[in-house]
Each structure stands twice: as C-alpha cells, then as structure tokens.
Amino acid sequence: MVDVPERLRELVREVVSIPSAPYLEGGVRDYLRAFAAERGLAHEEDAYGNVYITYRRGRRRTPLVLGAHMDHPGFVVEGARGRRLRLEFRGGLSAEYGKGERLALYREGERTPHAHASITSVRRDERRRLAGAAATLDPGERAAEGDLALWDVPACRFRGDLVQARACDDLAGCAAVLATLERVAAERRTGHLVGLFTRAEEVGLRGASVVGRERLLPDDALVIAVETSSFAGGRAVQGGGPIIRVGDALHIFSPALTQWMTALAQELAEEQDGFGWQRRLMDGGVTEATAYDLYGYETGAACIALGNYHNAGPRGRVRAETVHLGDLEGLVRLFERMHREAPRSGRALPALLRRYDQLGREAAPLLRGS
C-alpha cells in the first residue's frame, strides 16, 4: 500500500464534511472558490453553477479534465409545520431505508446543524425507491423550507486509513481532483489541467449532461469522470488501489483513453513499491463519463471502491460510507502521471498494435507449416 500524506487526510476531512445535496451544493462551491483563490488558480462558474478550476503553464498542451460531482443523496425540507416536517429525497436509495433514522438539518452553505429530527414514515416511488419522508423535529427546534436534512452519521472520521463519512460519493472524488491540482500547481509543472465540479449528478447526471450538450469543455480535452463506486458483489477490492473504469451500467468508454490509463498504471506499479491498481467495469451505477462520451468527448473514467453505497448499510440501517485513503492517494498519483503524459495520450493503442503485429508475423509461418 502506498504511503498517504497527512495533507491528503486533511483535504479529505475538509471536503467530505461539507453538507450537500442535489441543487443545494452551495457549501461545496464556496469551498472551491476559496481553494482556487488561495492558490492563484483560475476559477469560473458556468450559467448552470458547475465549477471549473484551471491550472495552465507553458505552451499550449492537451487539456486534461478531471470531473467529479459536488452533490450526495439527501433530503430537502418541502414543508414545516410546527415540529412536523415533509421531506423530499433526492438521489437513489431503496425505500427499505429511512424509517426511524435520525437527521441533522443544515442551511445551505453552513457546516453546523441547526436542528435534528427523526423520520416517522417514508414515501416510495413506483420503483420502490425512497422518494420522501415525514419527520418530527426535536423539541424546541425549528426548520425552514429548503433546509438540507442529512443522515445523522459522522461527517468524517478515520479508522486507520479507512475514511468513514456521510458523503464520500462524490466529495472524496472532489478531494482527489483538488489534491491533484494542488500538487501540480505547487510544483509549477508544465501543462493544462482542469478540475470540473458538477451539480445534481445524483438525480440524473444533470450538470454533466449540460456541460456535454452545451460544449463547455475544449473540443480536444481528455475528460476523466472521477467517482467513488460500489464494490458490492465483488466489483473491486477496497484497499486494492485506484480503479480504471472501463464502463458503467449503460456504456463503455474510450478504448484508446482506457488503454493509455492502463499503460500508465502499469508503469507506476513498476516504479513505485506498493502501488496497486485495478481495471474493472464497475456496473453498479451510471457515471458522468457516459454523458461526456455520448456528446463526443474523448472520455475515460477512474474511481475508488466505495463501501455502504449511498449510506445503505447492513440490515436496512443507514451507515457512513467508506473509502480507503491508500486508494485515494493512488488515484492522485495516477492523475499526476496523466497530467504529465497527456500530450502523448495516443501512444498506448499503437504500441499494443505493434505487439500483436509482431505476434502475427511470428505466428504466420508456424501456422502455415502445421
């Protein structure tokens, strides 16, 4: 396992602790704005609230875009009458979860809860997923329409190198992108790196879809969707290193870009003791790479293994999500290498072809003579 710098641990704690839900990502956006300003990085928001942090140094280079989403499934207060709350759930989770669970309530952009509540009943949609709930506030507390009502589990704590947090998906992915930007900027490396932070992924890839549809990225960009992805059912091994994601539940991504990422991971494993990596389909859900790829961008995906996906713990109880810091550090190292090698991203498939061309030439006389 790779060594994990203390700075990565600090950055993860800062980011995953920010309350967020689809369309209510204001706290994350505030953090990103301050992060860019402190490091002299360019910061932009498009008309839809997606955030772009850009590092650029030297002559024109192939843009590498690392994209992660800022939201996590959660409740939003639809109505408050005395201590009684009506809640809408935004995101995907089975309706077997929720009843009797505790909630912490936040105003958008604030990190400290101003109230707590208990769920008394849940509403299901036609697919038997959680659509909403009724809840009761603790005595003497108040809530307002638009408040975030999030699971009352640890915002972030560490058990060795295991992160237990309310929202690893995809705030841990955001932290990996920020760590990459921070290291590249600190070392003043030549290149063009963009951190893209999108909105409302958990309710249908909304932010990523508008980025793709409106052509808001450079046409020649190499776009990498960054995720935490469920390893349930043997999809991957937590602690086994970053995952090069070849596809998701709906789509397969760029073969050329995927092969390039694979070649770089192999190089890192040869050069660095303890660097592990995985290559998997990861078909437990759909990732933003599907949106970018369908709109014509050269697209790949990378992720780390996520435990308790969407806070779905054992026996129908809500639990903190988990990721491994060693996997995150490996992911950042892979991204650093990708940034350095982006101008040569087209080399992997021709090299593979040369290998099989040689095998074919060697095999031809043996096959004809047998």
Side-chain angles (χ1 to χ4, degrees):
M1 181 60 65
V2 297
D3 292 331
V4 178
E6 185 61 30
R7 173 55 187 153
L8 180 62
R9 192 180 295 262
E10 294 171 0
L11 187 58
V12 168
R13 183 188 296 278
E14 290 173 4
V15 177
V16 303
S17 300
I18 303 172
S20 183
Y23 303 113
L24 293 170
E25 305 94 348
V28 184
R29 292 159 70 185
D30 289 344
Y31 180 90
L32 295 173
R33 189 178 301 111
F35 178 95
E38 289 170 5
R39 292 155 183 81
L41 298 171
H43 172 279
E44 296 180 80
E45 289 193 18
D46 61 30
Y48 312 99
N50 300 303
V51 178
Y52 307 76
I53 297 179
T54 302
Y55 171 85
R56 194 167 186 174
R57 182 176 175 81
R59 68 182 185 276
R60 190 176 185 277
R61 299 283 294 271
T62 304
L64 176 65
V65 178
L66 304 176
H69 62 88
M70 298 182 282
D71 61 320
H72 182 77
F75 290 99
V76 179
V77 177
E78 290 183 303
R81 191 171 186 177
R83 292 175 57 199
R84 292 186 298 173
L85 301 180
R86 186 177 72 254
L87 307 173
E88 173 196 3
F89 190 73
R90 298 178 182 175
L93 180 65
S94 168
E96 71 175 295
Y97 291 90
K99 188 174 180 181
E101 297 288 353
R102 294 280 291 167
L103 301 172
L105 278 72
Y106 301 82
R107 297 181 181 91
E108 187 179 12
E110 296 186 357
R111 286 181 176 244
T112 303
H114 64 84
H116 294 81
S118 297
I119 295 177
T120 55
S121 64
V122 300
R123 299 195 306 273
R124 297 172 169 82
D125 65 14
E126 65 280 0
R127 297 168 61 186
R128 301 186 65 79
R129 298 190 310 173
L130 186 60
T136 301
L137 282 165
D138 287 358
E141 298 188 331
R142 295 287 182 268
E145 185 176 337
D147 283 350
L148 288 78
L150 308 179
W151 304 120
D152 192 16
V153 299
C156 182
R157 66 185 180 191
F158 299 102
R159 294 293 182 266
D161 283 338
L162 193 69
V163 183
Q164 299 176 336
R166 178 180 56 219
C168 293
D169 178 15
D170 189 26
L171 295 184
C174 291
V177 176
L178 292 174
T180 307
L181 283 161
E182 187 172 73
R183 295 181 193 183
V184 167
E187 296 185 13
R188 298 173 63 81
R189 301 176 190 172
T190 299
H192 186 180
L193 178 64
V194 180
L196 167 59
F197 305 90
T198 57
R199 301 181 66 199
E201 188 270 354
E202 299 291 0
V203 288
L205 313 181
R206 304 291 183 170
S209 294
V210 77
V211 168
R213 185 177 185 275
E214 300 293 328
R215 306 298 299 178
L216 299 180
L217 297 172
D219 287 342
D220 61 342
L222 307 177
V223 185
I224 308 297
V226 184
E227 266 285 8
T228 62
S229 184
S230 173
F231 69 89
R235 290 186 177 91
V237 177
Q238 195 168 57
I243 303 160
I244 296 168
R245 188 173 186 174
V246 303
D248 60 22
L250 294 180
H251 192 61
I252 299 297
F253 313 134
S254 164
L257 203 51
T258 301
Q259 186 58 36
W260 173 60
M261 294 168 68
T262 301
L264 294 182
Q266 290 171 333
E267 291 174 6
L268 284 168
E270 292 171 359
E271 296 169 8
Q272 300 180 8
D273 289 341
F275 183 88
W277 62 282
Q278 306 171 73
R279 176 173 163 141
R280 300 286 188 274
L281 177 62
M282 303 305 285
D283 59 351
V286 180
T287 185
E288 292 176 314
T290 288
Y292 302 131
D293 192 66
L294 291 175
Y295 281 111
Y297 287 103
E298 190 76 8
T299 304
C303 63
I304 59 172
L306 175 69
N308 296 333
Y309 172 72
H310 286 185
N311 305 107
R315 296 179 293 279
R317 304 304 298 177
V318 166
R319 294 290 183 267
E321 293 185 320
T322 65
V323 294
H324 198 286
L325 280 171
D327 294 343
L328 269 175
E329 172 62 20
L331 189 64
V332 175
R333 293 189 189 185
L334 177 60
F335 291 160
E336 289 181 277
R337 180 62 60 92
M338 291 168 64
H339 169 259
R340 192 185 82 184
E341 297 292 331
R344 301 198 307 139
S345 62
R347 67 181 173 90
L349 277 185
L352 192 62
L353 177 59
R354 287 194 296 273
R355 174 184 172 187
Y356 279 93
D357 188 57
Q358 179 180 349
L359 289 172
R361 289 197 306 271
E362 294 172 352
L366 298 174
L367 295 170
R368 280 197 299 266
S370 61

